[in-house]
Amino acid sequence: MTLPAKQAGLNIRLELADDLPIILGDAKYLHKALDNLVSNALKYAPNSGDLILSAQRSADGDAVILTVRDHGPGIPRDDLERIFEKFYRVNGHNGVKGSGIGLAIVRSAIERHGGRVWCESEPGQGTTFFIALPSEEAKGGALGRA
């Protein structure tokens, strides 16, 4: 991945658990969802710091939890649910281009797969987006295992 000059000092870390189960789904939609989250993190990331992508098994083992964590400006608490609405943009991000449709696409893609998406944020500290997708095991071994 080549970063724009603005973000040449950004560290991208990938943290994957060893025991991840298989997720079944449409790769096109899941790729688009992750691409939107990573693109947003890169847009709002400062010139240096960390962008952390991680995947781990949920506590009950029935899902995989994917996270995208940045150290950007953060999102005010009042906007945390609204950011997933079509065309909604957080005030104060006037310098960053966007249509306000990306996070709506993320939510639609994830819910289409029986999953859930949410975020936690602290203004001035950054944002973490979470995606929980049911594992193949939780769906009853839909790959035809006996």
Side-chain angles (χ1 to χ4, degrees):
M1 172 186 304
T2 303
L3 295 175
K6 165 189 170 296
Q7 296 160 326
L10 184 67
N11 296 311
I12 298 176
R13 290 193 347 232
L14 186 60
E15 300 173 351
L16 301 176
D18 292 331
D19 64 342
L20 292 174
I22 295 170
I23 298 171
L24 298 177
D26 186 318
K28 176 181 166 183
Y29 287 107
L30 294 175
H31 179 268
K32 184 66 176 167
L34 286 171
D35 184 59
N36 271 310
L37 292 179
V38 171
S39 293
N40 280 353
L42 289 172
K43 275 196 262 185
Y44 293 104
N47 295 343
S48 62
D50 292 327
L51 172 62
I52 303 166
L53 310 173
S54 67
Q56 63 186 17
R57 189 181 285 261
S58 64
D60 64 8
D62 287 343
V64 173
I65 308 295
L66 306 170
T67 62
V68 177
R69 183 178 336 153
D70 68 50
H71 292 93
I75 301 168
R77 185 176 308 277
D78 293 344
D79 290 316
L80 288 178
E81 278 302 313
R82 295 195 64 203
I83 61 172
F84 293 103
E85 296 173 9
K86 289 180 184 173
F87 308 116
Y88 184 77
R89 302 257 342 232
V90 175
N91 289 332
H93 296 301
N94 298 335
V96 177
K97 294 183 179 186
S99 64
I101 195 76
L103 292 176
I105 290 170
V106 170
R107 176 171 270 173
S108 175
I110 299 307
E111 288 178 350
R112 175 182 218 159
H113 287 83
R116 183 170 89 90
V117 61
W118 70 99
C119 77
E120 296 174 359
S121 187
E122 186 67 40
Q125 301 296 312
T127 301
T128 302
F129 282 89
F130 299 87
I131 294 174
L133 289 165
S135 69
E136 176 221 1
E137 298 160 358
K139 290 184 174 183
L143 288 178
R145 291 187 186 154

